[in-house]
Amino acid sequence: MTGEQFLNSIRHLDYEITALDHTRTRLEGQRQDILDRAMSNAALTGVWVQHSAGSKTEALGVQLADMITPVEAARRIERLQARVNRKIDELVDRKERALTVVERMQSPRCKTLILQRYLNNLKWTTIADLMGYNEHYVRVDLKREAVAEFSAIFERPTENYLSFRKQM
């Protein structure tokens, strides 16, 4: 894995965690909806209602039958949360390794770019504004310089980095 691929993997992992967490939040909302519907329809429990085809009570019964149970929703949420936690652990590991490389970099501008873009996930325009440079210069020229400096250290065959690259 090259230094640039490693840096991009950090950004992608961050986005993946955000997407998984969004899914988890949506599932929690669905679970709560199920529980709310069950509570509002609790009065119907044990009551037999005769209805015609297409009536509101039949429609409600079909909706409830198609929904997952609160227990199943809780299981899905739990599995998703465990996956999010594993991804967060992986992200923390990668960011720590990236910081180790960044600490060894010489150029303060290159360090800043790597930190802001790949570890803090800022947009190019924001980084350019913070650094006081033109966005094109930051996105093209400074990025090329920063990634080259990062890669030179990351790809150097030392024990620390070799062991990590073998894990990937």
Side-chain angles (χ1 to χ4, degrees):
M1 172 178 285
T2 67
E4 186 169 13
Q5 289 169 332
F6 176 74
L7 289 170
N8 283 323
S9 76
I10 292 172
R11 287 177 46 84
H12 294 295
L13 192 54
D14 216 348
Y15 291 138
E16 185 179 354
I17 290 167
T18 301
L20 287 171
D21 196 49
H22 177 74
T23 301
R24 182 192 53 78
T25 302
R26 188 176 43 79
L27 274 173
E28 285 176 344
Q30 287 176 349
R31 178 178 177 269
Q32 190 58 48
D33 287 346
I34 293 167
L35 293 172
D36 291 346
R37 283 186 185 179
M39 292 300 286
S40 67
N41 296 313
L44 297 178
T45 304
V47 175
W48 183 69
V49 178
Q50 194 171 19
H51 55 80
S52 61
S55 71
K56 288 183 179 181
T57 53
E58 181 186 36
L60 177 63
V62 170
Q63 284 179 355
L64 290 174
D66 288 343
M67 292 173 43
I68 61 173
T69 66
V71 172
E72 177 58 27
R75 279 191 204 117
R76 287 182 185 180
I77 292 167
E78 194 175 295
R79 285 192 307 266
L80 199 53
Q81 186 61 54
R83 188 171 169 202
V84 167
N85 290 344
R86 284 191 306 273
K87 294 289 184 180
I88 289 171
D89 290 344
E90 184 180 346
L91 180 64
V92 168
D93 277 352
R94 288 186 188 194
K95 283 188 174 187
E96 285 174 355
R97 290 177 192 279
L99 283 171
T100 301
V101 174
V102 169
E103 288 170 358
R104 297 178 61 200
M105 293 172 66
Q106 298 299 310
S107 169
R109 291 179 311 156
C110 291
K111 284 181 176 186
T112 301
L113 183 126
I114 297 293
L115 290 171
Q116 299 299 355
R117 178 66 180 174
Y118 297 100
L119 277 70
N120 296 335
N121 259 346
L122 295 183
K123 294 181 180 186
W124 292 115
T125 53
T126 306
I127 297 167
D129 288 344
L130 289 171
M131 295 181 76
Y133 294 123
N134 173 296
E135 180 191 345
H136 179 77
Y137 167 74
V138 171
R139 189 172 34 87
V140 177
D141 300 325
L142 186 56
K143 175 192 172 202
R144 185 181 318 119
E145 182 183 334
V147 168
E149 187 176 348
F150 182 92
S151 295
I153 297 166
F154 179 80
E155 295 170 17
R156 192 174 300 144
T158 63
E159 192 174 312
N160 291 341
Y161 305 113
L162 271 180
S163 66
F164 177 71
R165 288 204 314 257
K166 286 180 186 175
Q167 291 173 3
M168 303 210 51

